[in-house]
Amino acid sequence: MFNFKNVTRGIFILIICLGIGVTFSKIYQPEAKNIKVYKQALRDYENENYSNSYFLFSKVAAVSSLKPIALYRQAMCAKNLGDKKSELKVYQQLINYYPQHKLSGEARYNAGQLILEENPGLAYRYFDKVSKSDMEDGYKYASEYFKARITATKIRYSGKKPSDRKIKEVEVPFRAYLEKYPDGRLAANVARTWKKFNPKLSKSDRILIARAYTLSKNNIDAMNTISTIPEKDVWALKTLVYYSRRDYKNGNALLDKWIKQQNKTVSRKDFNRVIDGYVAQYTEFSDKYKILSTLLNSAKDPKKDYIWNLKCKYSPEVEKYPCYNGLYNSFPTGDYSRNAMFKTFSYSLKERNYQKSRSLANTYLEKYSNSKEAPMVMFWVAKIDNNRDMFNNIIKQYPDSFYAYRSFWITKGLKSATVRGQLKNKPVVYPYKMPGLKSTLYALMCVNDYEMIKKYSDDKFIESWVEYENGNYTTSMIIARDAMSKLPEKPNKSDLRWRLVYPQNYFAQVKKYASQTQNNEALIMAILREESSFNTKAQSGVGAMGLMQLMPDTAQDVASRNKISLETIYLVNPEINIKLGNLYYSELKKGLGNDDISAVAAYNGGIGAVTGWKNKLNYSDVDEFIIQIPYEETQYYIEKIFGSYWNYTRIYQR
């Protein structure tokens, strides 16, 4: 007999089971499926199919380590679609379900901005969380500003007069932001909000606002604010506004007026900005030198050492030594004393006045032992004293420097600038031990979501690796180079991070053509790295092109001598550029007695100049030759190339 009650119960149980199954599938599904879904969603995102991408990201299971990232990705999809409601909804899911996740802080900040006007109370709570988190300062200072802005708006519309204590409390974040980020993205908005909140600001606060308007090129508001402040306190900002308007007549007149007075109220940064704006009106070094000399003679401002420093930079070669020496002696504790002392030390070496060099070196190393020039100063002390222990200390303390290269060469008694030997090809890989299989970082690596890896990790070497994986070789190398320079102690040469700093990009072509021309492959790799940072389309201000930065006329001459058909556009082709670059370098080397130091100098300064230097300069060894070269650019170029050569050799030598 048909039992309707049993059938109904069965259907009810089936519906419950289906509901549980659907819910369970949302909470849990095999990670392999999550990865597959995420990859397809990411492909759709990259193809700008944001609607389908949004849907697929929602299918990543809740228990997957990818889920919070998928939620953030959904928000990005909604933002690209202009759907603020969905964007906010997904941010709030991320905040509520994964409150401690690394991306939740950014979700709170973005959500706060979305609801700033319609729900300021909730926005305030979001910004408050961000301001008390461990996010970077930019987010925290901006969040404090938004909190103060919400409070200021609430006070303004309450109709009640706030207490002085409350006013001061609200103003603290405004002041803090403009002091920290006077040219920040929000600076003009902060200035506008603050001024609206309290029209009766102190002079120092009005200066902060005037600076924010000036640096954001908001010239009308800048001048309106500047007009309420005594000119002696803001003449630099007023001059900058004139320069921004290209009103050089009034700007220069104002500078001429105030530079002759002992004015201490204008900040060092504003003063320097004005001098830079003044100098930028001239293009020739000789003109810059003349106008700076005139300006320095009339300057009474105690910050005039910046003018002096620039004057030395643009001075004729014969004037540089007395210029820097005078700057150091006049401002021994000033902001530019380190540079002036180092330049004085360098010129005493150039004059082969080693007694004075030794004395200056002692003082320099006492005062500036951690400076970037310290390896060079230490090297010359070691060389003057023939101090083998100091050479070894340089190799240990500064293992990747040009002076470690020279110290090693001297201690080993090597005569030629390079040593024969082939490099072992070692690919760029993830620069650390691989993350755990259950970690978010590992999951992101599985789906190749490099953009989110950069957001998830604060490590610059990981960011460099991401850029490398994306084919952005120039960006990758620069990020890794800068990160390595900040490490207080350099890692062992086998550390995988070195491969990011000195990658073997285009090594197959380098190896092929260096072998054909008998060039040192590590040296050619160094030239590629330093000339173009591996940017195949690099073009200098004078027209040099490609990886090895060949001038089109030079490349044509080399091509013609070697019966190679060449169109200028071919120089952006890595194969052709590296081939011609090797041929050109080989010609330079043969024309200079097979000496790599001379050839590298000629690659930068020209073979005619190098031949002249070798005949005229007073030197007894390679180090004296380099320091005697009259072009600082070529001196620095030799140091860069052979420092890079040294690193390619020590990292990759078989």
Side-chain angles (χ1 to χ4, degrees):
M1 184 177 179
F2 180 76
N3 189 327
F4 181 78
K5 192 177 287 186
N6 288 340
V7 171
T8 303
R9 186 184 296 113
I11 292 172
F12 181 70
I13 292 170
L14 179 61
I15 291 171
I16 290 174
C17 289
L18 286 171
I20 292 171
V22 170
T23 303
F24 183 75
S25 68
K26 288 184 177 181
I27 297 173
Y28 175 80
Q29 65 185 4
E31 191 66 359
K33 186 174 181 181
N34 290 322
I35 289 172
K36 183 178 180 181
V37 170
Y38 193 103
K39 279 185 172 181
Q40 182 57 55
L42 187 59
R43 280 193 291 271
D44 283 342
Y45 183 89
E46 290 168 348
N47 291 327
E48 299 183 7
N49 186 357
Y50 299 121
S51 295
N52 201 51
S53 179
Y54 182 97
F55 171 75
L56 287 173
F57 278 125
S58 73
K59 295 300 178 184
V60 175
V63 296
S64 171
S65 58
L66 287 169
K67 184 61 178 180
I69 317 288
L71 285 169
Y72 190 91
R73 277 286 187 187
Q74 278 186 275
M76 294 171 72
C77 291
K79 184 175 183 178
N80 282 304
L81 291 167
D83 184 352
K84 292 185 179 181
K85 186 176 179 181
S86 295
E87 183 185 358
L88 176 61
K89 175 186 172 184
V90 182
Y91 282 140
Q92 290 177 327
Q93 287 177 346
L94 176 54
I95 294 164
N96 293 332
Y97 297 146
Y98 306 93
Q100 303 305 317
H101 193 273
K102 190 172 182 67
L103 291 177
S104 292
E106 198 168 331
R108 288 188 183 94
Y109 181 81
N110 293 341
Q113 289 190 305
L114 287 171
I115 60 174
L116 191 59
E117 303 301 332
E118 55 264 33
N119 194 344
L122 182 56
Y124 187 97
R125 291 196 291 275
Y126 284 153
F127 288 127
D128 190 51
K129 278 275 191 182
V130 174
S131 67
K132 294 172 181 175
S133 72
D134 59 356
M135 292 185 73
E136 63 184 54
D137 281 351
Y139 282 107
K140 293 198 284 187
Y141 276 82
S143 293
E144 288 287 1
Y145 154 64
F146 283 120
K147 284 168 57 182
R149 174 175 157 179
I150 291 167
T151 304
T153 302
K154 185 178 179 181
I155 290 171
R156 264 203 343 269
Y157 288 104
S158 70
K160 298 177 182 179
K161 184 178 179 181
S163 65
D164 290 343
R165 182 189 63 79
K166 191 64 178 177
I167 290 174
K168 289 180 180 179
E169 182 182 302
V170 173
E171 289 181 326
V172 167
F174 296 151
R175 187 177 298 109
Y177 188 94
L178 293 186
E179 286 175 345
K180 180 82 171 179
Y181 304 107
D183 56 350
R185 183 175 58 87
L186 295 171
N189 288 335
V190 174
R192 199 170 293 113
T193 304
W194 192 4
K195 202 171 180 183
K196 189 183 292 185
F197 174 67
N198 182 10
K200 299 178 180 179
L201 292 169
S202 68
K203 183 177 73 173
S204 60
D205 289 339
R206 277 178 284 143
I207 290 172
L208 286 175
I209 287 173
R211 183 179 295 113
Y213 284 142
T214 300
L215 297 182
S216 63
K217 309 296 183 187
N218 203 327
N219 292 333
I220 294 174
D221 287 333
M223 275 302 200
N224 286 339
T225 308
I226 286 169
S227 66
T228 69
I229 306 167
E231 190 177 74
K232 70 181 180 64
D233 299 315
V234 285
W235 67 264
L237 294 176
K238 192 173 182 180
T239 304
L240 287 171
V241 173
Y242 282 134
Y243 286 164
S244 178
R245 293 173 173 173
R246 298 186 181 277
D247 182 355
Y248 299 119
K249 180 180 178 181
N250 280 317
N252 292 346
L254 201 59
L255 171 60
D256 184 60
K257 171 186 174 182
W258 286 101
I259 202 74
K260 296 174 182 176
Q261 302 187 37
Q262 295 239 2
N263 183 278
K264 298 181 180 180
T265 56
V266 167
S267 76
R268 161 71 77 177
K269 286 185 178 179
D270 289 341
F271 180 88
N272 291 1
R273 288 182 182 116
V274 168
I275 302 304
D276 288 341
Y278 180 61
V279 174
Q281 297 170 49
Y282 302 86
T283 54
E284 298 295 326
F285 270 39
S286 57
D287 291 336
K288 293 176 190 283
Y289 174 70
K290 288 175 184 175
I291 59 107
L292 285 164
S293 297
T294 303
L295 196 64
L296 181 63
N297 287 336
S298 62
K300 296 291 187 293
D301 193 291
K303 297 177 285 294
K304 70 177 184 179
D305 56 333
Y306 183 65
I307 304 172
W308 200 327
N309 187 59
L310 285 180
K311 175 194 168 185
C312 295
K313 176 182 176 181
Y314 295 116
S315 68
E317 194 64 29
V318 294
E319 296 288 334
K320 284 187 181 293
Y321 175 78
C323 185
Y324 281 117
N325 191 45
L327 172 56
Y328 176 70
N329 288 327
S330 298
F331 295 89
T333 60
D335 289 358
Y336 308 97
S337 61
R338 179 175 67 83
N339 180 60
M341 188 178 188
F342 175 72
K343 293 293 187 181
T344 304
F345 168 77
S346 299
Y347 282 103
S348 68
L349 290 175
K350 192 183 289 284
E351 293 182 345
R352 304 183 78 182
N353 186 346
Y354 295 132
Q355 184 176 353
K356 181 172 183 178
S357 301
R358 187 68 177 79
S359 174
L360 284 167
N362 287 340
T363 306
Y364 185 91
L365 291 173
E366 284 176 13
K367 294 179 69 173
Y368 311 114
S369 59
N370 294 320
S371 71
K372 65 179 182 179
E373 296 91 0
M376 186 263 210
V377 178
M378 287 176 65
F379 172 80
W380 277 98
V381 171
K383 193 172 176 75
I384 293 167
D385 294 350
N386 193 23
N387 188 328
R388 191 180 185 87
D389 289 339
M390 186 170 277
F391 283 132
N392 288 328
N393 283 339
I394 293 167
I395 297 169
K396 184 178 179 181
Q397 287 180 246
Y398 309 99
D400 56 329
S401 71
F402 169 77
Y403 294 99
Y405 156 75
R406 286 300 306 142
S407 296
F408 183 85
W409 250 240
I410 289 171
T411 57
K412 298 299 180 184
L414 300 174
K415 300 300 180 185
S416 63
T418 60
V419 293
R420 292 191 177 192
Q422 294 183 322
L423 303 185
K424 185 177 181 181
N425 191 8
K426 299 177 183 178
V428 166
V429 293
Y430 183 73
Y432 301 107
K433 180 181 177 182
M434 289 297 288
L437 298 181
K438 295 183 179 180
S439 69
T440 302
L441 201 54
Y442 181 81
L444 286 170
M445 290 168 70
C446 288
V447 296
N448 299 324
D449 193 344
Y450 297 121
E451 185 179 355
M452 287 297 107
I453 289 174
K454 284 200 295 183
K455 278 192 173 292
Y456 189 77
S457 171
D458 295 327
D459 189 288
K460 286 295 180 181
F461 290 103
I462 292 178
E463 183 181 343
S464 169
W465 171 74
V466 166
E467 294 294 348
Y468 190 91
E469 290 294 304
N470 283 329
N472 301 324
Y473 299 143
T474 300
T475 304
S476 170
M477 188 276 287
I478 291 171
I479 291 171
R481 179 199 66 193
D482 293 347
M484 187 65 77
S485 71
K486 292 175 182 176
L487 293 182
E489 188 173 331
K490 300 298 187 287
N492 185 279
K493 64 182 181 181
S494 62
D495 191 290
L496 297 175
R497 288 172 289 181
W498 284 116
R499 299 189 197 179
L500 289 163
V501 185
Y502 295 94
Q504 291 177 296
N505 303 331
Y506 308 103
F507 180 62
Q509 295 94 326
V510 168
K511 187 176 182 65
K512 175 182 176 182
Y513 295 114
S515 175
Q516 290 179 10
T517 53
Q518 286 78 54
N519 291 330
N520 185 288
E521 57 193 45
L523 189 60
I524 299 300
M525 282 301 311
I527 292 174
L528 253 72
R529 180 184 186 271
E530 302 303 335
E531 282 285 357
S532 65
S533 299
F534 303 110
N535 179 2
T536 59
K537 297 178 182 178
Q539 185 163 342
S540 74
V542 295
M545 295 178 66
L547 289 169
M548 295 186 70
Q549 286 292 277
L550 298 169
M551 292 295 291
D553 288 347
T554 301
Q556 286 286 359
D557 290 343
V558 173
S560 177
R561 285 192 290 272
N562 289 276
K563 297 181 172 53
I564 298 170
S565 177
L566 179 69
E567 297 288 338
T568 299
I569 192 63
Y570 296 169
L571 291 176
V572 300
N573 181 302
E575 189 86 17
I576 294 171
N577 193 283
I578 293 171
K579 180 177 182 177
L580 291 172
N582 269 278
L583 288 167
Y584 177 53
Y585 183 82
S586 180
E587 289 180 3
L588 291 175
K589 187 175 176 181
K590 288 174 184 175
L592 291 163
N594 288 316
D595 175 42
D596 278 305
I597 294 284
S598 299
V600 166
Y603 201 92
N604 176 261
I607 193 167
V610 174
T611 301
W613 297 337
K614 290 175 77 71
N615 290 332
K616 295 177 183 177
L617 295 178
N618 182 18
Y619 64 93
S620 60
D621 63 19
V622 65
D623 299 305
E624 288 189 352
F625 171 69
I626 294 170
I627 204 71
Q628 292 289 332
I629 290 174
Y631 297 164
E632 284 188 11
E633 179 189 331
T634 302
Q635 288 181 11
Y636 182 52
Y637 183 79
I638 292 171
E639 291 182 14
K640 284 197 306 179
I641 296 297
F642 281 97
S644 194
Y645 158 77
W646 162 249
N647 282 289
Y648 275 109
T649 301
R650 73 190 188 97
I651 296 165
Y652 298 103
Q653 187 80 59
R654 289 182 184 274

